[in-house]
Structure formats: structure tokens, C-alpha cells
Amino acid sequence: MIPPTKTEIQAQEALELFSIGYSNNGVSTGQNWFGSSDTIIESYSPVDGKLIAKVEAATAADYENSITTAEKAFKQWRQMSAPARGEIVRQLGNEFRKYKKELGLLVSYEMGKSLQEGMGEVQEIIDICDFAVGLSRQLYGLTMHSERPNHRMYEQYHPIGIVGVISAFNFPVAVWAWNAMLAWVCGNVCVWKPSEKTPVVALVCQKIVSKVFQENKLPEGLSCLIVGDAKIGEFMANDKRVPLVSATGSTRMGKAVGEVVAKRLGRSLLELGGNNAIILTPSADLKMALTGIIFGAVGTAGQRCTTTRRLIIHQSIYDKVKQTLVNAYPQIKIGNPLNEQNHVGPLIDKDAVGFYLQAIEKVKIEGGEFAIEGGVLEGKEYASGCYVQPCIAEVENHFSIVQHETFAPILYLMKYDKLEDAIAMQNGVPQGLSSSIFTTDMREMETFLSHAGSDCGIANVNIGTSGAEIGGAFGGEKETGGGRESGSDAWKAYMRRQTNTINYGTTMPLAQGIKFNV
């Protein structure tokens, strides 16, 4: 018998800590775990190809039970004061602090991102908890002067009810937390459908939050977890009892969800594809830019929505930059992501490897040339078949493959002459998530950030496209969906706004000076 590796032992210890074994119920309304499906979802680690756990998928009846339980919980939860709800979220943050190491390890093992990035993802949960606690005392409305004498006008915000969260595999816990923590302090309850590719870390998160809710004697249904296939997402999108559906994933998926939700006049918060570019100007600090470029291109094995996919380089420095990257890429260490010496782990599964290989072929067919060749890595350490070589291709922005998002570590290089041309290239894709310019020229910086500059939801100067902080609202434009999550005033998406007018006088004047005498 082959003895278990250190990675397997660490992962198994973490699973045992949260009482997760090979067979699990994938439906929870908080206190109770249940499931009645014969369908089993198996989670395999892309790190070593080993089976982590089997999760019982949800049925239509399970979904219905979760929604009913959530509706009941909402009626009680919304009556608590916002600061009291913030106190619960404060406790959640402390609980995630307690288990940061174990959950971060499992994120790395189940998803394949580096251990540093796995820990960073759990840190995002902790950070958004801290943000939400402060927010619980800042759910501000506005007061306005009325045109009518002895009248007062103001706006206030109310919780909307059930918030449905559909999350993706690449950030299997952080994006859920962005939604859930804000939704909870706003007085809502959450129903969460995690990615089928990363159900185990979702089970862990549900166990952590359920513990805090139970200790505070809060109603079952504040947090409902429903592990299942696309049908669960369809139920949620069609359900009028779910006023807001927050969905993260591909543009194709987002269009389908958005259309269905819109037909019932519900709200959707969509965080979809990115096709992010960095512009390198002649004045750029290239030494500083190199770190941002490489991390942006290969971090999470190119499976971030903010991954740097296009590098738009001024023609005067193009050859120098290309050669610098060609020299730097061989220093990237690829391997087991739980080994902190490695920079890049595997793609999520062999289907993702297939899309990576197809993209490489399309580049060649369209006339692109590779400065760094790609390919699937072989050897004992890469036995899962999910490890690939980060590669660099010289292309034109109009290439069909460049216009699409490929969730893999492929960096496209292209030249520009004038800054307005570079900005046009940067904007000349269907997606509009993240963008960046490296420059020490104030005029170039301000042009990039002006109305005539980047059309993305995120526009950075002298940092890369990847690595958003929770303090700012996260999201993009065009086919990225237009949603905003996490910081700033993103909380307003989880509430309904109400305008109130109070007449404290003894007469009934009408607006616009209308006279109506009875």
C-alpha cells in the first residue's frame, strides 16, 4: 500500500476537524442537514487526483424545504436591530479567524490555488465580516426638504428577504462571504448554491456559520446550503420568493440567469467574465510592473476573473519587455500548491485543461506565435493531469480567441503606438472587469482614468489587474454583468429603498402646487 503524502494527511486532518468524511449530506438549513437524492457529487482534488468526499445532491423537494425554512427565518431576523445583526457577523469573523489555516488548506487542496492564495481567500471572509460589522451602524438613508410647508421627506432602506447566491469554483468561499455577510447585516437570509466542483469547502463554511447561529439561539434558515447541479440554479432564478440572485461565473451562465430573473422582474447581481489588460507605457517602471504582470497572468493558474490576459506594450519597449518575460517565466515554480515554494498549482480539472489546449491551437490557427510554449506537464508530481505550463503568445487584439476569456495561464502580448490606441485596444473586447496602466506620466494616468479612458469597473495605476481589496465595490461593465459586490455602497443591492413623506401640519397642500378643493 502506498503511504499517504503529507498533503493528504493535512487535508484529512482538516476534514476530520469539521466532521466531513467520504459521504455527506449536501443540503443544510442550519441546524439540520438532510438530503433525499440518489445523485452523488464527487469532489476530486486537482492537486493529486484523489477523491476528497462524496456529497449527496439536492432535489427539488430539498430546495423547497430550504426556501420555506429561509422564509420563516427572515421574518424573525429582520426584526433584530442592524447593530445586533452586526454582532453576530462579528462572531462569525472570529470563528473564521479560528479556522483560517484549516479552511485555507482545504480551499487550496480542493480548488488547486496556492496555499498563500487559499489563506488569502479566508482572509477575505474575515475582512468582509469586519467591514459588515461597521456597516451595521451605517445603513444610512437621506433627508430632503419638501416643497410643501410642514412636510418632511426622507429615504430609508429595508431588507428584501431571501438572497440567492450562486458561486464559482475559482473563489469558492470568498465571493459567497461578500454576499452573505452584507446580506445578513442588512437583515436578509441567504440560500447558497456553491460550485459542484468545490462542495467540500462550502460544507465547511456552513458548519462554521451554523455553529455561531445555534450558539446565539437564532432561527434555522438564516443560512441554507444547497449542493446540486444547474437545476438548483434554475429553481432559484425562477423563484419569485428570491428577490435577488447574485451569480458569479461565465458570461453564458450569467446571461441565462439574468434573463430568467428579469422575466419575473426580480433583481440579479452578476459577476461574470473578464478579459483584463495591462497597458505598459514608455515611462513605466518595468521592474515594478514585472511582479504585477506575472502574478496577474499566472496567479491561481489563470483562473481568476481578474487574471491579466492581455499585455498591451508600447512598441518602443516591446522587445525588451518580451525578453524580460521570456527570461522570468522559467523561474515560475509549478507544482503542489500546498508547498509554499510553488507559485502555480493545477487547473481545476481535465475539462479546464482541454479548454487550455484548445485555446493554444486557436492562437496558432489565427496566426499567433508563442514566445513561451504551453503544454500539459508530465511526471509524478503532476499525476492528476491538471498541471499546465503558463505560456505567452504574440497576437492581435482582434483575434477571435483573444476576444474570449480563457480560464488558463495564457498571456497575450500586443503592440501599440499612441496611448489612445492602447486604450481602444484595452476597451475593444466584450468584457469590462479589470484594467491597469503602468506609467509615471501624470497625463497618461489621468487620461486612462478619465471618461475617455478605461471602460472597466476596475481601473488601476501602477498595480496589476488582479488582487482587489474588499473596501471597494467589486464588479465590471459590459458582458461582465454590471454588478457590484463587497465594499463601498454595494450593500444597497441587498435592500429595498423607500421614500417617506410626513405631513406634520394641519392642512393638505399638494405637490406641484396643484389645487384640489372638495
Side-chain angles (χ1 to χ4, degrees):
M1 179 180 292
I2 301 175
T5 64
K6 181 181 177 181
T7 296
E8 290 177 271
I9 293 172
Q10 289 175 316
Q12 190 57 47
E13 289 174 346
L15 291 170
E16 289 172 358
L17 177 65
F18 298 109
S19 302
I20 293 176
Y22 277 112
S23 181
N24 308 272
N25 288 329
V27 185
S28 168
T29 53
Q31 285 89 324
N32 293 312
W33 292 76
F34 58 92
S36 55
S37 174
D38 294 328
T39 302
I40 299 297
I41 294 174
E42 296 180 328
S43 177
Y44 287 90
S45 171
V47 174
D48 54 19
K50 301 292 179 62
L51 177 67
I52 302 175
K54 296 180 179 180
V55 181
E56 195 171 84
T59 64
D62 294 331
Y63 173 82
E64 186 63 30
N65 182 64
S66 296
I67 294 294
T68 301
T69 308
E71 284 186 307
K72 293 178 181 177
F74 170 61
K75 293 177 181 178
Q76 182 174 337
W77 180 246
R78 68 183 177 183
Q79 295 301 321
M80 289 180 64
S81 70
R85 297 192 296 260
E87 164 58 20
I88 301 303
V89 172
R90 186 191 67 80
Q91 294 178 34
L92 290 175
N94 286 341
E95 202 70 10
F96 279 103
R97 281 182 174 88
K98 188 186 303 183
Y99 296 114
K100 177 180 175 179
K101 180 180 178 181
E102 291 81 8
L103 179 54
L105 184 148
L106 288 175
V107 168
S108 178
Y109 187 57
E110 186 174 35
M111 186 267 150
K113 62 176 58 177
S114 74
L115 185 58
Q116 286 292 319
E117 292 181 76
M119 296 292 183
E121 185 163 349
V122 183
Q123 187 62 47
E124 285 197 59
I125 299 178
I126 296 166
D127 291 344
I128 198 65
C129 286
D130 289 349
F131 179 89
V133 173
L135 179 65
S136 68
R137 293 181 181 270
Q138 301 179 76
L139 301 175
Y140 299 138
L142 296 171
T143 59
M144 294 146 284
H145 290 281
S146 173
E147 66 187 58
R148 290 165 282 183
N150 300 321
H151 281 59
R152 181 167 70 87
M153 294 177 64
Y154 69 94
E155 291 180 342
Q156 62 178 338
Y157 288 84
H158 298 291
I160 56 176
I162 299 174
V163 173
V165 180
I166 301 172
S167 61
F169 75 85
N170 60 331
F171 279 86
V173 297
V175 173
W176 157 76
W178 290 358
N179 285 274
M181 302 308 163
L182 296 192
W184 283 330
V185 296
C186 288
N188 304 303
V189 297
C190 289
V191 176
W192 179 22
K193 181 208 171 299
S195 168
E196 298 164 67
K197 298 181 180 183
T198 51
V200 171
V201 289
L203 296 178
V204 171
C205 288
Q206 179 70 350
K207 285 178 178 287
I208 290 172
V209 300
S210 295
K211 176 177 178 288
V212 172
F213 290 150
Q214 289 177 45
E215 288 173 348
N216 285 274
K217 297 181 173 55
L218 293 169
E220 182 178 11
L222 292 181
S223 176
C224 295
L225 175 72
I226 309 178
V227 178
D229 59 17
K231 277 290 181 186
I232 300 300
E234 291 175 13
F235 293 155
M236 199 180 288
N238 280 287
D239 196 337
K240 291 182 178 180
R241 296 169 296 180
V242 183
L244 172 64
V245 177
S246 177
T248 304
S250 69
T251 297
R252 178 187 58 78
M253 178 277 291
K255 286 181 177 180
V257 170
E259 181 179 1
V260 172
V261 174
K263 282 183 178 179
R264 61 175 175 86
L265 299 181
R267 300 189 207 173
S268 57
L269 198 167
L270 303 175
E271 298 288 359
L272 312 176
N275 195 348
N276 316 296
I278 292 177
I279 297 173
L280 276 183
T281 72
S283 71
D285 182 331
L286 296 183
K287 184 178 179 180
M288 183 174 70
L290 188 64
T291 299
I293 294 166
I294 295 179
F295 176 73
V298 308
T300 324
Q303 296 171 115
R304 289 179 176 230
C305 50
T306 54
T307 290
T308 303
R309 310 215 177 271
R310 298 175 296 142
L311 187 59
I312 304 170
I313 310 166
H314 191 270
Q315 59 187 11
S316 66
I317 58 172
Y318 181 88
D319 291 337
K320 179 181 179 181
V321 171
K322 183 179 80 168
Q323 191 58 51
T324 301
L325 291 170
V326 167
N327 293 339
Y329 260 53
Q331 300 174 43
I332 297 170
K333 295 178 181 178
I334 308 165
N336 187 326
L338 272 64
N339 179 345
E340 295 189 58
Q341 300 302 311
N342 291 326
H343 302 110
V344 179
L347 294 178
I348 184 65
D349 55 26
K350 290 184 179 179
D351 286 342
V353 174
F355 290 129
Y356 160 83
L357 293 174
Q358 289 173 23
I360 288 175
E361 288 305 309
K362 288 179 180 177
V363 169
K364 294 177 180 177
I365 290 170
E366 293 193 68
E369 296 183 358
F370 281 88
I372 294 285
E373 294 285 345
V376 181
L377 300 178
E378 298 180 355
K380 184 179 179 181
E381 188 176 4
Y382 311 125
S384 69
C386 297
Y387 292 85
V388 301
Q389 174 64 51
C391 56
I392 299 174
E394 297 181 85
V395 299
E396 298 291 338
N397 200 53
H398 61 80
F399 285 6
S400 175
I401 187 60
V402 177
Q403 291 285 308
H404 291 83
E405 178 185 42
T406 301
F407 241 45
I410 303 175
L411 178 62
Y412 299 124
L413 306 188
M414 53 198 79
K415 299 177 183 178
Y416 81 91
D417 181 22
K418 297 179 180 179
L419 181 60
E420 53 264 37
D421 297 332
I423 292 173
M425 292 166 67
Q426 132 73 43
N427 295 343
V429 292
Q431 308 82 3
L433 179 53
S434 186
S435 58
S436 174
I437 187 170
F438 278 85
T439 179
T440 54
D441 185 319
M442 183 185 72
R443 291 175 177 173
E444 290 179 333
M445 175 185 74
E446 292 294 344
T447 298
F448 180 74
L449 298 176
S450 72
H451 298 310
S454 169
D455 65 359
C456 293
I458 299 169
N460 297 328
V461 177
N462 293 330
I463 65 169
T465 61
S466 191
E469 298 180 27
I470 64 95
F474 180 89
E477 302 300 324
K478 301 187 294 189
E479 288 193 358
T480 300
R484 292 297 186 274
E485 294 173 323
S486 191
S488 184
D489 65 348
W491 62 271
K492 292 180 179 179
Y494 304 90
M495 304 195 84
R496 60 182 177 87
R497 183 162 62 178
Q498 184 181 75
T499 300
N500 308 110
T501 306
I502 300 171
N503 180 356
Y504 58 89
T506 58
T507 60
M508 183 59 70
L510 301 179
Q512 293 84 49
I514 294 173
K515 303 297 182 184
F516 186 80
N517 298 316
V518 179

